[in-house]
Amino acid sequence: MEQVFKQEGLSYKTASERKRYINQNLMTKSDSVRRLADQRIAYLNWEESMINGDEIHNTTSDIPESAFGCFKTRMSPNKNNGYTPLVLLIPLALKVSTIDDCRDFYIRNLLDKTTIADIKKWRDDNLLHNPSIMSERG
């Protein structure tokens, strides 16, 4: 998908083709893959809503690559250590990526109602203990 959008840009045509691809190839997989597919389709629908007529929008993967780069610099170089609560930095960094996002983000409220036990439970429910092991969960 990334290659198509980089080469051809984002348009109604390319978004429709990618959504068709997602439906044909990902919706038949595990629950977690289907959830990811639903998120991708929702994202493409949102992006399509900003296209006027036959416009083609240029796209890039620089922002997600930077987000993962920030996370990787904080991870242990030992790949067998597994994930830590620092994995939560990825969505947090994206959530507060602009000054307007920061104005509406009240960290104290979140800190008051989230405990380390909550983070550990989420990690245990959603991530593998060792990132080098494949999961049946998908």
Side-chain angles (χ1 to χ4, degrees):
M1 286 179 44
E2 180 182 349
Q3 183 177 0
V4 168
F5 289 132
K6 277 187 174 184
Q7 291 176 350
E8 300 177 34
L10 178 69
S11 64
Y12 283 122
K13 177 183 174 261
T14 56
S16 293
E17 289 171 355
R18 295 302 90 197
K19 287 191 282 188
R20 193 173 321 111
Y21 174 85
I22 290 168
N23 281 317
Q24 291 172 349
N25 297 289
L26 300 180
M27 289 302 198
T28 59
K29 307 289 184 193
S30 68
D31 288 343
S32 59
V33 173
R34 284 195 307 273
R35 282 193 306 270
L36 176 66
D38 285 335
Q39 291 172 351
R40 294 302 122 223
I41 289 173
Y43 172 76
L44 289 172
N45 289 338
W46 179 72
E47 287 289 335
E48 272 185 312
S49 72
M50 294 183 273
I51 297 173
N52 294 319
D54 292 333
E55 282 182 345
I56 296 175
H57 291 196
N58 293 327
T59 61
T60 180
S61 60
D62 292 347
I63 294 170
E65 288 171 12
S66 294
F68 282 105
C70 290
F71 169 64
K72 284 169 44 180
T73 61
R74 289 175 167 83
M75 272 187 73
S76 168
N78 181 352
K79 302 225 183 290
N80 292 322
N81 273 355
Y83 296 101
T84 69
L86 287 174
V87 73
L88 300 177
L89 285 175
I90 295 172
L92 177 62
L94 297 174
K95 176 80 175 158
V96 291
S97 60
T98 68
I99 192 69
D100 290 333
D101 294 335
C102 293
R103 285 188 184 112
D104 297 329
F105 190 78
Y106 300 104
I107 190 72
R108 181 179 180 119
N109 295 345
L110 297 173
L111 289 173
D112 286 345
K113 62 183 182 181
T114 304
T115 66
I116 293 295
D118 295 330
I119 294 170
K120 287 180 180 175
K121 181 181 180 339
W122 181 89
R123 183 182 65 199
D124 291 341
D125 291 346
N126 294 286
L127 300 175
L128 298 171
H129 293 285
N130 185 331
S132 63
I133 297 174
M134 295 301 291
S135 168
E136 292 180 9
R137 292 186 288 189

